[in-house]
Amino acid sequence: MDYLQIFFLAIVQGLTEFLPISSSAHLILPSAILGWTDQGLAFDVAVHVGSLTAVLWYFRHDVQQVVVHWCQSVTGGKATPESRLGWLLILATIPAGLAGLLLGDFIESQLRSIAVIATTTILFGLLLGVSDFWGRRVKTLHQITWHSALLIGLAQALALVPGTSRSGITMTAALALGFTRESAARFSFLMAIPVIILSGGYKCAQLMQLPQVPWSDIVLGAVLSCMAAYLCIRVFLIWITRIGMMPFVIYRLLLGALLIAILVNS
């Protein structure tokens, strides 16, 4: 990959990782339109590191409280809302972890086509719109139950299918369960932390087996992805209660239509 590709794809990945618009759908466009080759393992590791750094830094106070209280609850301390949130985040991560282990290779080899990504981009975009429109939007983050966390976690497992959008499907599930837009977004972003750690750790292990590792590309990609992801999280949480999900729904429908047009004309 040259520096132009790294710059462009890292910014796109960082921006789309936490927006409900599917990062995989965007990363396929440069390949389809510009003829760029697959970004490769090193780039995947770079953007995982960048995204993880961004979400950890933005939620550093929340993460610190959750980790400290969770550790205290494990060692016999009293339960608190923060320790409870820690357990719920673990519960919500299990379905995606199991699905990745059992179905990851199949999805990687069979479900990365433009047709699949176009279909899921449109389908789950419509579901996001329905959940946002019909959801009651009254529950806060501290009202989440183990039942709700598990359902959102099951929805997150669907994000293994390209085009679904991890943040999009988890927010869709949370909105459908009656959570406010901000609470749905915050829980989705916090859920990203263990998932990115697991996925990024697996990819790092693969990267270490390569004879040569392009560290300069990884550092550049990670820095760019981190800056874009941090900006995305900050702006999204400020504006989500005002603009709602409809702009993202419309965007997903247009993006899906563009992918279908590319497929038809290819």
Side-chain angles (χ1 to χ4, degrees):
M1 294 176 66
D2 59 35
Y3 287 122
L4 175 61
Q5 288 176 268
I6 294 173
F7 180 86
F8 180 82
L9 293 177
I11 295 296
V12 169
Q13 176 72 29
L15 290 175
T16 58
E17 177 69 28
F18 296 106
L19 291 178
I21 55 177
S22 174
S23 60
S24 57
H26 287 79
L27 293 178
I28 200 174
L29 289 176
S31 175
I33 297 175
L34 302 175
W36 288 357
T37 57
D38 183 81
Q39 57 267 26
L41 182 60
F43 178 81
D44 285 343
V45 170
V47 296
H48 273 84
V49 171
S51 299
L52 179 62
T53 303
V55 71
L56 282 174
W57 179 250
Y58 188 87
F59 291 105
R60 59 193 181 277
H61 299 302
D62 303 68
V63 171
Q64 180 184 22
Q65 290 296 311
V66 169
V67 171
V68 169
H69 285 253
W70 181 83
C71 289
Q72 290 174 346
S73 72
V74 171
T75 56
K78 67 177 182 178
T80 65
E82 288 77 17
S83 67
R84 183 170 169 273
L85 180 58
W87 285 112
L88 293 176
L89 287 170
I90 293 173
L91 176 63
T93 303
I94 293 174
L98 291 176
L101 287 174
L102 298 175
L103 301 173
D105 291 340
F106 171 79
I107 292 172
E108 187 72 20
S109 61
Q110 302 296 325
L111 299 180
R112 292 188 63 85
S113 66
I114 295 180
V116 170
I117 295 176
T119 301
T120 52
T121 297
I122 293 173
L123 174 62
F124 290 109
L126 291 172
L127 286 177
L128 175 63
V130 170
S131 294
D132 188 48
F133 184 79
W134 292 105
R136 296 174 60 216
R137 301 201 299 273
V138 294
K139 297 180 183 178
T140 64
L141 188 59
H142 288 302
Q143 290 177 285
I144 190 168
T145 63
W146 71 266
H147 178 263
S148 297
L150 183 58
L151 288 176
I152 298 172
L154 289 170
Q156 181 172 242
L158 293 174
L160 291 171
V161 180
T164 302
S165 171
R166 192 209 61 81
S167 58
I169 194 64
T170 52
M171 290 183 207
T172 296
L175 289 168
L177 291 169
F179 289 89
T180 65
R181 290 167 177 156
E182 182 180 3
S183 295
R186 292 182 75 86
F187 191 67
S188 173
F189 293 158
L190 289 172
M191 286 175 66
I193 295 173
V195 169
I196 294 175
I197 290 175
L198 291 174
S199 178
Y202 176 72
K203 290 182 180 295
C204 280
Q206 291 180 304
L207 184 66
M208 292 300 101
Q209 298 175 10
L210 298 180
Q212 291 184 327
V213 178
W215 291 111
S216 61
D217 292 356
I218 291 176
V219 171
L220 178 60
V223 170
L224 292 171
S225 175
C226 177
M227 292 190 298
Y230 184 87
L231 177 63
C232 171
I233 295 171
R234 184 177 183 85
V235 173
F236 185 81
L237 287 175
I238 291 174
W239 285 97
I240 189 58
T241 56
R242 303 179 188 179
I243 65 175
M245 296 294 181
M246 196 52 60
F248 303 105
V249 174
I250 295 172
Y251 181 84
R252 288 185 67 125
L253 296 180
L254 294 175
L255 178 61
L258 175 59
L259 291 173
I260 291 174
I262 291 174
L263 180 64
V264 170
N265 293 314
S266 61

